[in-house]
Amino acid sequence: MRRKRSLAALLALLVSLFGIAGLGRTAHAEPARPPAALATGLHIGDGRLLEGNGNDFIMRGVNHAHTWYPGETRSLADIKALGANTVRVVLSNGHRWSKNSPEDVAAIIAQCKANRLICVLEVHDTTGYGEDAAAGSLDEAADYWIGLKSVLTGQENYVLINIGNEPWGNTDPAGWTAPTVAAVQKLRNAGFQHTIMVDAPNWGQDWQNVMRTNARTVYDADSTGNLIFSIHMYSVYDTAQEITDYLNAFVDAELPILIGEFGGPPDQYGDPDENTMMATAQQLKLGYLAWSWSGNTDPILDLATDFDPGRLTDWGKRVFNGPNGIAETSREATVYGGGSGDTQAPSTPGAPTASAVTATSATLGWPAATDNVGVTAYDVVRVGGGAETRVATSTGTMATLTGLTAATSYTFAVYARDAAGNRSARSATVDVTTKDGGGPDAGCSVGYRVANEWGNGFQGEIAVRNTGTAAITDWTLAFSFANGQVITHMWGGTPRQTGAAVTVTPASYTATIPAGGSITLGFTADRGATNSAPTAFTLNGGACATG
């Protein structure tokens, strides 16, 4: 909000008399900026991210590690199909990882546009600068963006530039402010009109409040005013008070902010309060971008297993389908037609039917709905006790539900929705009862052996054989260690361990165990003085023979 010069003079007098404080500095008059002519495409107005037409735009999306997985280009379409309106794309300027070329960046922008996503592009090589010796500087990141100017110019409606990811570690975080100002000004002097995003120090989490204290200084250094701050919320933000205090401080000061990364699963440092993060972002109408789609070194942060949208993890189900989640709150950018006046909801989908029912999964299919513009997705919900829980989203008329409990009755129904967010009436319901996990079609035997031991570690191998008469798919293997062993890495599957209890879901190449066939999982783990083998294994809830 701009202040007239007479008001600025009055404020200056009040400051000198009473010490009235703003966010990290005394109240002030903002420097004169060119009016709306510079507001090309996505821009900032009164502390809000706006589209070129002045409509509020609230990011609802995820991060995608493109620079490490350049072949996973299908992911943008999958992320969109689950309801996202934005994707933050990991790039490299070549300082630490393989440089993404102008041609590659242009292709990513084109894919974002083809999938009707707003594209946040970020250089990841700056992560932890000042503490991590391998990290690059913000100045180097700015040079990379300048080298991409011909690719980025004209994309202001579709692209934000996140100068550098988490560009300062925990060593002297106060040093973050000046390089951030310099990088912003370097891009503006080079002629960039895009909205620029800046990440906080302290590995993005700003637990020492350097960005919060100096936000006004950084914002005022941008000659266009088109700058937004990004806070990354992980285990530092494990209480509701910490989350609401931080976000409200920026909102109260009319300084634009979003949650550029956040996690929910607990780690060795704490348990992030993702429910408050998402609820507060929705209440304050702030953007959020969950970390991350797939391919994490620690798979607990994967939203989807092996980049498969049909295999959302618990974290993915929470982000996409939970309360205040993406499917519920996302609205497509108006530059693609979202929110463009379409108020007509799709027709009601036909009654769903169930097939391929196993102990832990079922496939639903239903007749398509129709819409005056077009149906973009279907939401499958579980119905019970007068409530609904979203369990899957599909762009087609079929969805496979996994993670069900053996010998359990469920009731499901389907909604259709369009690009503008209009939702149909609920379809008729279908009742599904999963099979008994110990039935003959789920017969199995498991062999466990220690292949090698060293110091406090060992390498193990688990062979899972299908002794039943039908192929086993979408399996979950469960067992418990007896002596405090902790898996550190696994191939052939993805482990989840809570205390002694371990569950394993398959990799893409072990997802099916044919009748009479077997798959092998290998892993490394930490151990103590005793290293006893697990004594019992279950597959999809049914007990397996051992030996």
Side-chain angles (χ1 to χ4, degrees):
M1 184 178 295
R2 291 172 173 78
R3 301 178 176 90
K4 296 180 180 179
R5 292 186 182 276
S6 58
L7 178 57
L10 176 60
L11 285 173
L13 177 60
L14 289 171
V15 168
S16 65
L17 292 175
F18 303 108
I20 297 173
L23 183 68
R25 56 173 278 176
T26 53
H28 67 294
E30 295 182 5
R33 295 192 178 105
L38 288 182
T40 302
L42 291 157
H43 63 282
I44 302 299
D46 291 335
R48 307 288 305 163
L49 178 62
L50 308 174
E51 292 193 70
N53 60 6
N55 282 18
D56 219 26
F57 181 69
I58 303 170
M59 293 187 193
R60 289 286 181 268
V62 304
N63 289 262
H64 172 53
H66 171 70
T67 199
W68 303 312
Y69 300 98
E72 297 293 343
T73 53
R74 169 69 194 177
S75 292
L76 297 187
D78 294 334
I79 290 166
K80 174 64 178 182
L82 288 164
N85 62 23
T86 305
V87 63
R88 181 172 179 255
V89 180
V90 177
L91 300 176
S92 172
N93 66 353
H95 181 89
R96 189 168 186 177
W97 295 285
S98 297
K99 182 178 182 179
N100 294 97
S101 68
E103 294 77 16
D104 184 41
V105 175
I108 279 290
I109 294 171
Q111 289 173 48
C112 283
K113 293 166 72 174
N115 287 291
R116 303 162 73 93
L117 290 163
I118 295 302
C119 204
V120 177
L121 303 177
E122 61 103 341
V123 166
H124 214 76
D125 307 65
T126 57
T127 306
Y129 183 81
E131 185 174 351
D132 189 336
S137 68
L138 276 172
D139 187 64
E140 292 168 327
D143 287 339
Y144 174 70
W145 296 119
I146 291 170
L148 293 173
K149 190 167 188 292
S150 62
V151 169
L152 298 170
T153 298
Q155 304 299 332
E156 292 85 355
N157 276 308
Y158 310 96
V159 172
L160 286 82
I161 299 173
N162 189 177
I163 303 179
N165 181 71
E166 300 178 2
W168 211 274
N170 293 325
T171 302
D172 186 28
W176 166 90
T177 304
T180 301
V181 166
V184 170
Q185 292 179 336
K186 192 170 193 176
L187 292 183
R188 294 307 184 206
N189 291 337
F192 283 85
Q193 300 299 323
H194 305 70
T195 294
I196 290 175
M197 185 184 299
V198 295
D199 284 6
N202 295 128
W203 300 87
Q205 296 198 78
D206 201 29
W207 58 269
Q208 291 175 290
N209 284 330
V210 171
M211 185 171 82
R212 178 172 168 175
T213 301
N214 294 281
R216 179 64 68 185
T217 297
V218 175
Y219 184 78
D220 286 350
D222 184 353
S223 58
T224 71
N226 294 329
L227 183 141
I228 188 167
F229 296 94
S230 172
I231 181 66
H232 293 183
M233 289 187 164
Y234 292 99
S235 53
V236 166
Y237 295 91
D238 56 0
T239 68
Q241 194 68 48
E242 291 166 328
I243 295 161
T244 56
D245 282 355
Y246 195 94
L247 296 177
N248 275 294
F250 281 79
V251 172
D252 291 346
E254 294 188 356
L255 287 168
I257 191 168
L258 80 157
I259 306 174
E261 287 184 20
F262 70 103
D267 58 26
Q268 65 268 40
Y269 304 109
D271 186 1
D273 184 0
E274 69 277 12
N275 293 328
T276 297
M277 295 175 202
M278 297 169 74
T280 304
Q282 180 65 12
Q283 176 195 358
L284 298 176
K285 301 187 184 303
L286 303 179
Y288 66 65
L289 304 170
W291 186 275
S292 80
W293 178 239
S294 197
N296 285 283
T297 303
D298 182 355
I300 198 170
L301 283 171
D302 283 353
L303 296 159
T305 300
D306 291 335
F307 297 92
D308 183 351
R311 298 168 64 199
L312 292 182
T313 64
D314 289 343
W315 174 223
K317 292 173 184 176
R318 172 67 190 92
V319 166
F320 284 105
N321 298 326
N324 300 302
I326 288 173
E328 179 182 297
T329 65
S330 176
R331 295 293 179 267
E332 186 176 83
T334 60
V335 71
Y336 296 123
S340 57
D342 176 15
T343 59
Q344 181 173 325
S347 65
T348 306
T353 57
S355 62
V357 179
T358 71
T360 60
S361 66
T363 297
L364 300 186
W366 55 87
T370 59
D371 185 66
N372 62 317
V373 176
V375 174
T376 58
Y378 295 89
D379 297 324
V380 180
V381 296
R382 180 184 178 184
V383 181
E388 296 179 354
T389 304
R390 192 190 318 266
V391 294
T393 299
S394 173
T395 55
T397 56
M398 183 175 292
T400 298
L401 313 181
T402 59
L404 307 180
T405 302
T408 302
S409 295
Y410 294 88
T411 300
F412 299 108
V414 182
Y415 290 92
R417 54 185 165 86
D418 60 22
N422 300 309
R423 198 184 195 200
S424 73
R426 193 177 79 188
S427 74
T429 60
V430 60
D431 294 327
V432 177
T433 300
T434 52
K435 293 183 178 180
D436 184 347
D441 291 339
C444 54
S445 66
V446 175
Y448 178 98
R449 75 183 186 95
V450 174
N452 190 19
E453 289 185 301
W454 60 89
N456 294 324
F458 72 101
Q459 178 181 333
E461 184 178 281
I462 304 172
V464 184
R465 182 173 180 81
N466 179 0
T467 60
T469 58
I472 298 174
T473 60
D474 295 319
W475 51 264
T476 299
L477 178 73
F479 61 92
S480 293
F481 283 118
N483 310 120
Q485 298 96 322
V486 177
I487 292 176
T488 55
H489 180 65
M490 177 174 280
W491 49 100
T494 300
R496 300 281 190 275
Q497 183 166 355
T498 303
V502 179
T503 58
V504 181
T505 52
S508 58
Y509 56 89
T510 60
T512 299
I513 311 175
S518 64
I519 57 96
T520 300
L521 309 172
F523 66 90
T524 56
D526 294 333
R527 67 177 180 90
T530 305
N531 190 18
S532 303
T535 57
F537 296 84
T538 63
L539 192 70
N540 290 346
C544 297
T546 57

